[in-house]
Amino acid sequence: MVDHPDKYDYSRAKVPGPLTLEMEAKKLEKKRAQKAQRKQREQAQREERQRLEQEEEEKQQFAALSDREKRALAAERRLAEQMKNGSTTLSNISRCWYCGESLLGRIPFHYLDFSFCSTACLQTHRRAQANHT
């Protein structure tokens, strides 16, 4: 179209205008922006996946602890709250006593000194304690 502007009827053929250097630069810039956005989304997804994997690992570790170790963690949490020392950071210690699920942002079910994420965990723990004794 640029080389032979009068050779064909480009408007009747519905051929868009010729690409100029400016238009090519805009397309290239748009592609670069899209690529940058895609990389940013992928990075955010990777970080979210790592956070979920870490949470799941902490959950499994907490569930594997004995009752005595769980009580010790709860005591450490209370001590840390009393000290209010910002230099030491504790991970999420508020967890379901039975399965280890995080209780942050949830209303836990309480039974004696235990906290549970659901009534199913509470009932399972009570049955296990009844069978244990």
Side-chain angles (χ1 to χ4, degrees):
M1 188 174 186
V2 173
D3 294 338
H4 307 287
D6 296 328
K7 190 170 185 177
Y8 301 103
D9 187 5
Y10 296 107
S11 61
R12 190 169 179 207
K14 298 183 181 178
V15 175
L19 286 178
T20 62
L21 292 176
E22 187 178 298
M23 292 171 78
E24 288 180 17
K26 279 185 179 180
K27 279 187 177 183
L28 185 61
E29 183 62 32
K30 186 176 179 181
K31 282 186 179 183
R32 285 182 182 158
Q34 288 174 343
K35 187 176 181 179
Q37 286 177 343
R38 186 177 68 241
K39 282 186 177 184
Q40 189 176 13
R41 275 193 313 270
E42 290 172 355
Q43 178 67 21
Q45 288 172 349
R46 261 187 258 118
E47 290 172 356
E48 180 66 18
R49 201 174 321 118
Q50 288 175 347
R51 187 189 63 78
L52 290 174
E53 288 172 359
Q54 182 182 4
E55 174 67 24
E56 185 63 29
E57 183 180 321
E58 287 179 6
K59 176 182 167 182
Q60 290 174 354
Q61 288 176 350
F62 188 83
L65 294 176
S66 68
D67 284 350
R68 185 175 187 175
E69 292 169 326
K70 289 177 184 177
R71 284 189 182 100
L73 281 176
E76 286 178 17
R77 187 190 75 221
R78 284 192 302 271
L79 180 64
E81 287 175 3
Q82 289 174 356
M83 300 294 276
K84 292 291 184 188
N85 186 358
S87 63
T88 58
T89 58
L90 294 175
S91 64
N92 182 11
I93 298 176
S94 179
R95 296 191 174 276
C96 173
W97 202 261
Y98 184 73
C99 71
E101 183 72 31
S102 174
L103 296 176
L104 292 178
R106 300 174 100 178
I107 299 173
F109 295 91
H110 294 287
Y111 170 70
L112 299 175
D113 291 333
F114 308 110
S115 297
F116 301 94
C117 64
S118 66
T119 55
C121 286
L122 185 142
Q123 291 170 352
T124 308
H125 183 263
R126 287 177 83 179
R127 286 187 200 114
Q129 291 298 320
N131 291 339
H132 190 287
T133 58

PDB file of all heavy atoms in Angstrom, residues 83-118:
ATOM      1  N   MET A  83       4.671  -9.374  76.889  1.00  0.00           N
ATOM      2  CA  MET A  83       5.927  -8.654  76.714  1.00  0.00           C
ATOM      3  C   MET A  83       5.787  -7.528  75.686  1.00  0.00           C
ATOM      4  O   MET A  83       6.425  -6.482  75.816  1.00  0.00           O
ATOM      5  CB  MET A  83       7.038  -9.614  76.264  1.00  0.00           C
ATOM      6  CG  MET A  83       7.329 -10.737  77.246  1.00  0.00           C
ATOM      7  SD  MET A  83       7.995 -10.154  78.777  1.00  0.00           S
ATOM      8  CE  MET A  83       9.703 -10.044  78.319  1.00  0.00           C
ATOM      9  N   LYS A  84       4.974  -7.744  74.664  1.00  0.00           N
ATOM     10  CA  LYS A  84       4.776  -6.745  73.593  1.00  0.00           C
ATOM     11  C   LYS A  84       6.103  -6.237  73.061  1.00  0.00           C
ATOM     12  O   LYS A  84       6.301  -5.053  72.824  1.00  0.00           O
ATOM     13  CB  LYS A  84       3.937  -5.560  74.080  1.00  0.00           C
ATOM     14  CG  LYS A  84       2.507  -5.878  74.378  1.00  0.00           C
ATOM     15  CD  LYS A  84       1.761  -6.191  73.134  1.00  0.00           C
ATOM     16  CE  LYS A  84       0.300  -6.411  73.474  1.00  0.00           C
ATOM     17  NZ  LYS A  84      -0.480  -6.877  72.407  1.00  0.00           N
ATOM     18  N   ASN A  85       7.030  -7.181  72.881  1.00  0.00           N
ATOM     19  CA  ASN A  85       8.338  -6.839  72.343  1.00  0.00           C
ATOM     20  C   ASN A  85       8.273  -7.004  70.830  1.00  0.00           C
ATOM     21  O   ASN A  85       8.151  -8.099  70.333  1.00  0.00           O
ATOM     22  CB  ASN A  85       9.412  -7.755  72.942  1.00  0.00           C
ATOM     23  CG  ASN A  85      10.800  -7.336  72.529  1.00  0.00           C
ATOM     24  OD1 ASN A  85      10.961  -6.394  71.766  1.00  0.00           O
ATOM     25  ND2 ASN A  85      11.793  -8.036  73.032  1.00  0.00           N
ATOM     26  N   GLY A  86       8.375  -5.905  70.093  1.00  0.00           N
ATOM     27  CA  GLY A  86       8.253  -5.939  68.642  1.00  0.00           C
ATOM     28  C   GLY A  86       9.434  -6.570  67.943  1.00  0.00           C
ATOM     29  O   GLY A  86       9.366  -6.873  66.763  1.00  0.00           O
ATOM     30  N   SER A  87      10.562  -6.783  68.623  1.00  0.00           N
ATOM     31  CA  SER A  87      11.746  -7.325  67.956  1.00  0.00           C
ATOM     32  C   SER A  87      11.618  -8.811  67.681  1.00  0.00           C
ATOM     33  O   SER A  87      12.234  -9.327  66.762  1.00  0.00           O
ATOM     34  CB  SER A  87      12.998  -7.063  68.789  1.00  0.00           C
ATOM     35  OG  SER A  87      12.896  -7.735  70.027  1.00  0.00           O
ATOM     36  N   THR A  88      10.842  -9.534  68.464  1.00  0.00           N
ATOM     37  CA  THR A  88      10.670 -10.960  68.223  1.00  0.00           C
ATOM     38  C   THR A  88       9.360 -11.174  67.504  1.00  0.00           C
ATOM     39  O   THR A  88       8.325 -10.633  67.890  1.00  0.00           O
ATOM     40  CB  THR A  88      10.659 -11.760  69.544  1.00  0.00           C
ATOM     41  OG1 THR A  88       9.602 -11.272  70.370  1.00  0.00           O
ATOM     42  CG2 THR A  88      11.982 -11.643  70.262  1.00  0.00           C
ATOM     43  N   THR A  89       9.399 -11.962  66.445  1.00  0.00           N
ATOM     44  CA  THR A  89       8.186 -12.239  65.684  1.00  0.00           C
ATOM     45  C   THR A  89       7.835 -13.705  65.844  1.00  0.00           C
ATOM     46  O   THR A  89       8.684 -14.582  65.700  1.00  0.00           O
ATOM     47  CB  THR A  89       8.388 -11.929  64.187  1.00  0.00           C
ATOM     48  OG1 THR A  89       9.477 -12.717  63.712  1.00  0.00           O
ATOM     49  CG2 THR A  89       8.663 -10.467  63.963  1.00  0.00           C
ATOM     50  N   LEU A  90       6.590 -13.954  66.151  1.00  0.00           N
ATOM     51  CA  LEU A  90       6.094 -15.315  66.270  1.00  0.00           C
ATOM     52  C   LEU A  90       5.198 -15.604  65.079  1.00  0.00           C
ATOM     53  O   LEU A  90       4.448 -14.741  64.634  1.00  0.00           O
ATOM     54  CB  LEU A  90       5.294 -15.484  67.564  1.00  0.00           C
ATOM     55  CG  LEU A  90       6.080 -15.354  68.850  1.00  0.00           C
ATOM     56  CD1 LEU A  90       5.134 -15.431  70.034  1.00  0.00           C
ATOM     57  CD2 LEU A  90       7.132 -16.435  68.948  1.00  0.00           C
ATOM     58  N   SER A  91       5.263 -16.809  64.580  1.00  0.00           N
ATOM     59  CA  SER A  91       4.382 -17.162  63.481  1.00  0.00           C
ATOM     60  C   SER A  91       2.981 -17.386  64.029  1.00  0.00           C
ATOM     61  O   SER A  91       2.727 -17.236  65.215  1.00  0.00           O
ATOM     62  CB  SER A  91       4.904 -18.404  62.762  1.00  0.00           C
ATOM     63  OG  SER A  91       4.879 -19.500  63.657  1.00  0.00           O
ATOM     64  N   ASN A  92       2.092 -17.785  63.177  1.00  0.00           N
ATOM     65  CA  ASN A  92       0.698 -17.969  63.544  1.00  0.00           C
ATOM     66  C   ASN A  92       0.565 -19.120  64.542  1.00  0.00           C
ATOM     67  O   ASN A  92       0.616 -20.282  64.171  1.00  0.00           O
ATOM     68  CB  ASN A  92      -0.111 -18.250  62.277  1.00  0.00           C
ATOM     69  CG  ASN A  92      -1.574 -18.404  62.585  1.00  0.00           C
ATOM     70  OD1 ASN A  92      -2.014 -18.110  63.679  1.00  0.00           O
ATOM     71  ND2 ASN A  92      -2.329 -18.873  61.627  1.00  0.00           N
ATOM     72  N   ILE A  93       0.378 -18.786  65.823  1.00  0.00           N
ATOM     73  CA  ILE A  93       0.282 -19.806  66.859  1.00  0.00           C
ATOM     74  C   ILE A  93      -1.179 -20.135  67.154  1.00  0.00           C
ATOM     75  O   ILE A  93      -1.495 -21.185  67.664  1.00  0.00           O
ATOM     76  CB  ILE A  93       1.019 -19.348  68.137  1.00  0.00           C
ATOM     77  CG1 ILE A  93       2.490 -19.161  67.832  1.00  0.00           C
ATOM     78  CG2 ILE A  93       0.850 -20.345  69.254  1.00  0.00           C
ATOM     79  CD1 ILE A  93       3.299 -18.637  68.969  1.00  0.00           C
ATOM     80  N   SER A  94      -2.083 -19.262  66.812  1.00  0.00           N
ATOM     81  CA  SER A  94      -3.495 -19.483  67.065  1.00  0.00           C
ATOM     82  C   SER A  94      -4.029 -20.480  66.040  1.00  0.00           C
ATOM     83  O   SER A  94      -4.384 -20.118  64.930  1.00  0.00           O
ATOM     84  CB  SER A  94      -4.252 -18.150  66.967  1.00  0.00           C
ATOM     85  OG  SER A  94      -5.618 -18.353  67.182  1.00  0.00           O
ATOM     86  N   ARG A  95      -4.076 -21.748  66.440  1.00  0.00           N
ATOM     87  CA  ARG A  95      -4.468 -22.812  65.520  1.00  0.00           C
ATOM     88  C   ARG A  95      -5.449 -23.761  66.197  1.00  0.00           C
ATOM     89  O   ARG A  95      -5.536 -23.824  67.415  1.00  0.00           O
ATOM     90  CB  ARG A  95      -3.245 -23.603  65.070  1.00  0.00           C
ATOM     91  CG  ARG A  95      -2.277 -22.780  64.276  1.00  0.00           C
ATOM     92  CD  ARG A  95      -1.232 -23.676  63.646  1.00  0.00           C
ATOM     93  NE  ARG A  95      -0.362 -22.924  62.770  1.00  0.00           N
ATOM     94  CZ  ARG A  95      -0.638 -22.635  61.513  1.00  0.00           C
ATOM     95  NH1 ARG A  95      -1.752 -23.039  60.972  1.00  0.00           N
ATOM     96  NH2 ARG A  95       0.193 -21.937  60.791  1.00  0.00           N
ATOM     97  N   CYS A  96      -6.153 -24.506  65.348  1.00  0.00           N
ATOM     98  CA  CYS A  96      -7.073 -25.536  65.839  1.00  0.00           C
ATOM     99  C   CYS A  96      -6.262 -26.589  66.584  1.00  0.00           C
ATOM    100  O   CYS A  96      -5.214 -27.028  66.118  1.00  0.00           O
ATOM    101  CB  CYS A  96      -7.817 -26.165  64.661  1.00  0.00           C
ATOM    102  SG  CYS A  96      -8.842 -27.575  65.128  1.00  0.00           S
ATOM    103  N   TRP A  97      -6.746 -26.995  67.751  1.00  0.00           N
ATOM    104  CA  TRP A  97      -6.014 -27.934  68.589  1.00  0.00           C
ATOM    105  C   TRP A  97      -5.925 -29.306  67.936  1.00  0.00           C
ATOM    106  O   TRP A  97      -4.966 -30.032  68.134  1.00  0.00           O
ATOM    107  CB  TRP A  97      -6.728 -28.052  69.935  1.00  0.00           C
ATOM    108  CG  TRP A  97      -5.842 -28.527  71.010  1.00  0.00           C
ATOM    109  CD1 TRP A  97      -5.736 -29.792  71.488  1.00  0.00           C
ATOM    110  CD2 TRP A  97      -4.903 -27.749  71.752  1.00  0.00           C
ATOM    111  NE1 TRP A  97      -4.809 -29.851  72.481  1.00  0.00           N
ATOM    112  CE2 TRP A  97      -4.282 -28.605  72.674  1.00  0.00           C
ATOM    113  CE3 TRP A  97      -4.541 -26.416  71.744  1.00  0.00           C
ATOM    114  CZ2 TRP A  97      -3.319 -28.179  73.556  1.00  0.00           C
ATOM    115  CZ3 TRP A  97      -3.591 -25.993  72.633  1.00  0.00           C
ATOM    116  CH2 TRP A  97      -2.987 -26.867  73.520  1.00  0.00           C
ATOM    117  N   TYR A  98      -6.906 -29.652  67.115  1.00  0.00           N
ATOM    118  CA  TYR A  98      -6.942 -30.992  66.533  1.00  0.00           C
ATOM    119  C   TYR A  98      -6.269 -31.069  65.162  1.00  0.00           C
ATOM    120  O   TYR A  98      -5.385 -31.879  64.943  1.00  0.00           O
ATOM    121  CB  TYR A  98      -8.389 -31.477  66.430  1.00  0.00           C
ATOM    122  CG  TYR A  98      -8.498 -32.891  65.938  1.00  0.00           C
ATOM    123  CD1 TYR A  98      -8.141 -33.962  66.764  1.00  0.00           C
ATOM    124  CD2 TYR A  98      -8.924 -33.173  64.659  1.00  0.00           C
ATOM    125  CE1 TYR A  98      -8.211 -35.266  66.307  1.00  0.00           C
ATOM    126  CE2 TYR A  98      -8.996 -34.472  64.202  1.00  0.00           C
ATOM    127  CZ  TYR A  98      -8.645 -35.516  65.029  1.00  0.00           C
ATOM    128  OH  TYR A  98      -8.710 -36.803  64.575  1.00  0.00           O
ATOM    129  N   CYS A  99      -6.668 -30.212  64.226  1.00  0.00           N
ATOM    130  CA  CYS A  99      -6.154 -30.334  62.850  1.00  0.00           C
ATOM    131  C   CYS A  99      -5.069 -29.330  62.514  1.00  0.00           C
ATOM    132  O   CYS A  99      -4.393 -29.468  61.500  1.00  0.00           O
ATOM    133  CB  CYS A  99      -7.289 -30.213  61.831  1.00  0.00           C
ATOM    134  SG  CYS A  99      -7.978 -28.553  61.695  1.00  0.00           S
ATOM    135  N   GLY A 100      -4.897 -28.287  63.316  1.00  0.00           N
ATOM    136  CA  GLY A 100      -3.842 -27.312  63.065  1.00  0.00           C
ATOM    137  C   GLY A 100      -4.250 -26.179  62.150  1.00  0.00           C
ATOM    138  O   GLY A 100      -3.418 -25.354  61.796  1.00  0.00           O
ATOM    139  N   GLU A 101      -5.503 -26.098  61.750  1.00  0.00           N
ATOM    140  CA  GLU A 101      -5.980 -25.018  60.868  1.00  0.00           C
ATOM    141  C   GLU A 101      -5.873 -23.681  61.601  1.00  0.00           C
ATOM    142  O   GLU A 101      -6.101 -23.586  62.791  1.00  0.00           O
ATOM    143  CB  GLU A 101      -7.437 -25.292  60.482  1.00  0.00           C
ATOM    144  CG  GLU A 101      -8.027 -24.305  59.518  1.00  0.00           C
ATOM    145  CD  GLU A 101      -7.470 -24.474  58.120  1.00  0.00           C
ATOM    146  OE1 GLU A 101      -7.129 -25.604  57.742  1.00  0.00           O
ATOM    147  OE2 GLU A 101      -7.368 -23.454  57.428  1.00  0.00           O
ATOM    148  N   SER A 102      -5.524 -22.650  60.865  1.00  0.00           N
ATOM    149  CA  SER A 102      -5.376 -21.324  61.454  1.00  0.00           C
ATOM    150  C   SER A 102      -6.717 -20.807  61.958  1.00  0.00           C
ATOM    151  O   SER A 102      -7.742 -20.956  61.297  1.00  0.00           O
ATOM    152  CB  SER A 102      -4.819 -20.355  60.409  1.00  0.00           C
ATOM    153  OG  SER A 102      -4.801 -19.052  60.934  1.00  0.00           O
ATOM    154  N   LEU A 103      -6.697 -20.180  63.129  1.00  0.00           N
ATOM    155  CA  LEU A 103      -7.919 -19.617  63.705  1.00  0.00           C
ATOM    156  C   LEU A 103      -7.990 -18.098  63.516  1.00  0.00           C
ATOM    157  O   LEU A 103      -8.919 -17.467  64.009  1.00  0.00           O
ATOM    158  CB  LEU A 103      -8.009 -19.957  65.197  1.00  0.00           C
ATOM    159  CG  LEU A 103      -8.142 -21.448  65.526  1.00  0.00           C
ATOM    160  CD1 LEU A 103      -8.135 -21.659  67.027  1.00  0.00           C
ATOM    161  CD2 LEU A 103      -9.380 -22.030  64.898  1.00  0.00           C
ATOM    162  N   LEU A 104      -7.013 -17.537  62.799  1.00  0.00           N
ATOM    163  CA  LEU A 104      -7.023 -16.096  62.565  1.00  0.00           C
ATOM    164  C   LEU A 104      -8.214 -15.723  61.701  1.00  0.00           C
ATOM    165  O   LEU A 104      -8.475 -16.331  60.681  1.00  0.00           O
ATOM    166  CB  LEU A 104      -5.727 -15.654  61.880  1.00  0.00           C
ATOM    167  CG  LEU A 104      -4.463 -15.764  62.726  1.00  0.00           C
ATOM    168  CD1 LEU A 104      -3.261 -15.347  61.915  1.00  0.00           C
ATOM    169  CD2 LEU A 104      -4.582 -14.908  63.957  1.00  0.00           C
ATOM    170  N   GLY A 105      -8.957 -14.742  62.135  1.00  0.00           N
ATOM    171  CA  GLY A 105     -10.114 -14.281  61.387  1.00  0.00           C
ATOM    172  C   GLY A 105     -11.328 -15.180  61.540  1.00  0.00           C
ATOM    173  O   GLY A 105     -12.313 -15.008  60.848  1.00  0.00           O
ATOM    174  N   ARG A 106     -11.268 -16.156  62.408  1.00  0.00           N
ATOM    175  CA  ARG A 106     -12.382 -17.070  62.615  1.00  0.00           C
ATOM    176  C   ARG A 106     -12.830 -16.988  64.068  1.00  0.00           C
ATOM    177  O   ARG A 106     -12.099 -16.543  64.934  1.00  0.00           O
ATOM    178  CB  ARG A 106     -11.964 -18.514  62.328  1.00  0.00           C
ATOM    179  CG  ARG A 106     -11.488 -18.721  60.918  1.00  0.00           C
ATOM    180  CD  ARG A 106     -10.974 -20.104  60.737  1.00  0.00           C
ATOM    181  NE  ARG A 106     -12.000 -20.905  60.092  1.00  0.00           N
ATOM    182  CZ  ARG A 106     -11.832 -22.161  59.753  1.00  0.00           C
ATOM    183  NH1 ARG A 106     -10.710 -22.771  60.019  1.00  0.00           N
ATOM    184  NH2 ARG A 106     -12.781 -22.821  59.156  1.00  0.00           N
ATOM    185  N   ILE A 107     -14.009 -17.466  64.328  1.00  0.00           N
ATOM    186  CA  ILE A 107     -14.509 -17.556  65.700  1.00  0.00           C
ATOM    187  C   ILE A 107     -14.348 -19.016  66.107  1.00  0.00           C
ATOM    188  O   ILE A 107     -15.065 -19.886  65.619  1.00  0.00           O
ATOM    189  CB  ILE A 107     -15.983 -17.123  65.796  1.00  0.00           C
ATOM    190  CG1 ILE A 107     -16.116 -15.676  65.339  1.00  0.00           C
ATOM    191  CG2 ILE A 107     -16.501 -17.303  67.214  1.00  0.00           C
ATOM    192  CD1 ILE A 107     -17.534 -15.184  65.240  1.00  0.00           C
ATOM    193  N   PRO A 108     -13.395 -19.300  66.989  1.00  0.00           N
ATOM    194  CA  PRO A 108     -13.119 -20.700  67.340  1.00  0.00           C
ATOM    195  C   PRO A 108     -14.155 -21.270  68.303  1.00  0.00           C
ATOM    196  O   PRO A 108     -14.858 -20.546  69.005  1.00  0.00           O
ATOM    197  CB  PRO A 108     -11.745 -20.626  68.005  1.00  0.00           C
ATOM    198  CG  PRO A 108     -11.644 -19.248  68.523  1.00  0.00           C
ATOM    199  CD  PRO A 108     -12.457 -18.384  67.600  1.00  0.00           C
ATOM    200  N   PHE A 109     -14.239 -22.584  68.320  1.00  0.00           N
ATOM    201  CA  PHE A 109     -15.066 -23.313  69.267  1.00  0.00           C
ATOM    202  C   PHE A 109     -14.161 -23.692  70.434  1.00  0.00           C
ATOM    203  O   PHE A 109     -13.090 -24.241  70.230  1.00  0.00           O
ATOM    204  CB  PHE A 109     -15.650 -24.573  68.613  1.00  0.00           C
ATOM    205  CG  PHE A 109     -16.586 -24.278  67.496  1.00  0.00           C
ATOM    206  CD1 PHE A 109     -16.121 -24.173  66.200  1.00  0.00           C
ATOM    207  CD2 PHE A 109     -17.936 -24.084  67.728  1.00  0.00           C
ATOM    208  CE1 PHE A 109     -16.971 -23.892  65.161  1.00  0.00           C
ATOM    209  CE2 PHE A 109     -18.802 -23.798  66.690  1.00  0.00           C
ATOM    210  CZ  PHE A 109     -18.318 -23.703  65.402  1.00  0.00           C
ATOM    211  N   HIS A 110     -14.610 -23.393  71.651  1.00  0.00           N
ATOM    212  CA  HIS A 110     -13.780 -23.657  72.825  1.00  0.00           C
ATOM    213  C   HIS A 110     -14.355 -24.821  73.628  1.00  0.00           C
ATOM    214  O   HIS A 110     -15.571 -24.972  73.764  1.00  0.00           O
ATOM    215  CB  HIS A 110     -13.715 -22.419  73.725  1.00  0.00           C
ATOM    216  CG  HIS A 110     -13.011 -21.270  73.087  1.00  0.00           C
ATOM    217  ND1 HIS A 110     -11.652 -21.239  72.904  1.00  0.00           N
ATOM    218  CD2 HIS A 110     -13.492 -20.114  72.563  1.00  0.00           C
ATOM    219  CE1 HIS A 110     -11.311 -20.122  72.304  1.00  0.00           C
ATOM    220  NE2 HIS A 110     -12.412 -19.414  72.080  1.00  0.00           N
ATOM    221  N   TYR A 111     -13.455 -25.619  74.175  1.00  0.00           N
ATOM    222  CA  TYR A 111     -13.800 -26.722  75.055  1.00  0.00           C
ATOM    223  C   TYR A 111     -12.674 -26.820  76.058  1.00  0.00           C
ATOM    224  O   TYR A 111     -11.531 -27.080  75.682  1.00  0.00           O
ATOM    225  CB  TYR A 111     -13.948 -28.004  74.241  1.00  0.00           C
ATOM    226  CG  TYR A 111     -14.060 -29.258  75.064  1.00  0.00           C
ATOM    227  CD1 TYR A 111     -15.193 -29.519  75.824  1.00  0.00           C
ATOM    228  CD2 TYR A 111     -13.035 -30.183  75.085  1.00  0.00           C
ATOM    229  CE1 TYR A 111     -15.291 -30.663  76.578  1.00  0.00           C
ATOM    230  CE2 TYR A 111     -13.121 -31.337  75.831  1.00  0.00           C
ATOM    231  CZ  TYR A 111     -14.252 -31.582  76.586  1.00  0.00           C
ATOM    232  OH  TYR A 111     -14.349 -32.711  77.326  1.00  0.00           O
ATOM    233  N   LEU A 112     -12.975 -26.563  77.318  1.00  0.00           N
ATOM    234  CA  LEU A 112     -11.969 -26.465  78.365  1.00  0.00           C
ATOM    235  C   LEU A 112     -10.917 -25.447  77.946  1.00  0.00           C
ATOM    236  O   LEU A 112     -11.250 -24.304  77.700  1.00  0.00           O
ATOM    237  CB  LEU A 112     -11.359 -27.845  78.668  1.00  0.00           C
ATOM    238  CG  LEU A 112     -12.342 -28.916  79.161  1.00  0.00           C
ATOM    239  CD1 LEU A 112     -11.642 -30.249  79.314  1.00  0.00           C
ATOM    240  CD2 LEU A 112     -13.012 -28.513  80.461  1.00  0.00           C
ATOM    241  N   ASP A 113      -9.641 -25.845  77.850  1.00  0.00           N
ATOM    242  CA  ASP A 113      -8.582 -24.923  77.440  1.00  0.00           C
ATOM    243  C   ASP A 113      -8.246 -25.064  75.959  1.00  0.00           C
ATOM    244  O   ASP A 113      -7.245 -24.533  75.496  1.00  0.00           O
ATOM    245  CB  ASP A 113      -7.308 -25.166  78.257  1.00  0.00           C
ATOM    246  CG  ASP A 113      -7.491 -24.751  79.704  1.00  0.00           C
ATOM    247  OD1 ASP A 113      -8.325 -23.861  79.949  1.00  0.00           O
ATOM    248  OD2 ASP A 113      -6.795 -25.313  80.579  1.00  0.00           O
ATOM    249  N   PHE A 114      -9.048 -25.800  75.213  1.00  0.00           N
ATOM    250  CA  PHE A 114      -8.762 -26.079  73.809  1.00  0.00           C
ATOM    251  C   PHE A 114      -9.578 -25.166  72.905  1.00  0.00           C
ATOM    252  O   PHE A 114     -10.679 -24.755  73.243  1.00  0.00           O
ATOM    253  CB  PHE A 114      -9.102 -27.535  73.475  1.00  0.00           C
ATOM    254  CG  PHE A 114      -8.464 -28.531  74.402  1.00  0.00           C
ATOM    255  CD1 PHE A 114      -9.227 -29.250  75.313  1.00  0.00           C
ATOM    256  CD2 PHE A 114      -7.102 -28.744  74.364  1.00  0.00           C
ATOM    257  CE1 PHE A 114      -8.637 -30.167  76.151  1.00  0.00           C
ATOM    258  CE2 PHE A 114      -6.506 -29.663  75.205  1.00  0.00           C
ATOM    259  CZ  PHE A 114      -7.273 -30.383  76.111  1.00  0.00           C
ATOM    260  N   SER A 115      -9.026 -24.866  71.711  1.00  0.00           N
ATOM    261  CA  SER A 115      -9.734 -24.096  70.687  1.00  0.00           C
ATOM    262  C   SER A 115      -9.750 -24.918  69.404  1.00  0.00           C
ATOM    263  O   SER A 115      -8.734 -25.501  69.017  1.00  0.00           O
ATOM    264  CB  SER A 115      -9.029 -22.773  70.421  1.00  0.00           C
ATOM    265  OG  SER A 115      -9.042 -21.974  71.578  1.00  0.00           O
ATOM    266  N   PHE A 116     -10.892 -24.933  68.724  1.00  0.00           N
ATOM    267  CA  PHE A 116     -11.046 -25.738  67.516  1.00  0.00           C
ATOM    268  C   PHE A 116     -11.646 -24.893  66.393  1.00  0.00           C
ATOM    269  O   PHE A 116     -12.403 -23.951  66.640  1.00  0.00           O
ATOM    270  CB  PHE A 116     -11.954 -26.945  67.782  1.00  0.00           C
ATOM    271  CG  PHE A 116     -11.439 -27.836  68.878  1.00  0.00           C
ATOM    272  CD1 PHE A 116     -11.872 -27.667  70.185  1.00  0.00           C
ATOM    273  CD2 PHE A 116     -10.510 -28.816  68.600  1.00  0.00           C
ATOM    274  CE1 PHE A 116     -11.388 -28.482  71.196  1.00  0.00           C
ATOM    275  CE2 PHE A 116     -10.023 -29.624  69.602  1.00  0.00           C
ATOM    276  CZ  PHE A 116     -10.454 -29.464  70.900  1.00  0.00           C
ATOM    277  N   CYS A 117     -11.325 -25.287  65.141  1.00  0.00           N
ATOM    278  CA  CYS A 117     -11.824 -24.540  63.985  1.00  0.00           C
ATOM    279  C   CYS A 117     -13.255 -24.924  63.642  1.00  0.00           C
ATOM    280  O   CYS A 117     -13.996 -24.134  63.058  1.00  0.00           O
ATOM    281  CB  CYS A 117     -10.919 -24.760  62.768  1.00  0.00           C
ATOM    282  SG  CYS A 117     -10.886 -26.457  62.172  1.00  0.00           S
ATOM    283  N   SER A 118     -13.667 -26.128  63.985  1.00  0.00           N
ATOM    284  CA  SER A 118     -15.026 -26.578  63.654  1.00  0.00           C
ATOM    285  C   SER A 118     -15.530 -27.501  64.755  1.00  0.00           C
ATOM    286  O   SER A 118     -14.765 -28.018  65.579  1.00  0.00           O
ATOM    287  CB  SER A 118     -15.030 -27.316  62.316  1.00  0.00           C
ATOM    288  OG  SER A 118     -14.293 -28.513  62.424  1.00  0.00           O
TER     289      SER A 118
END
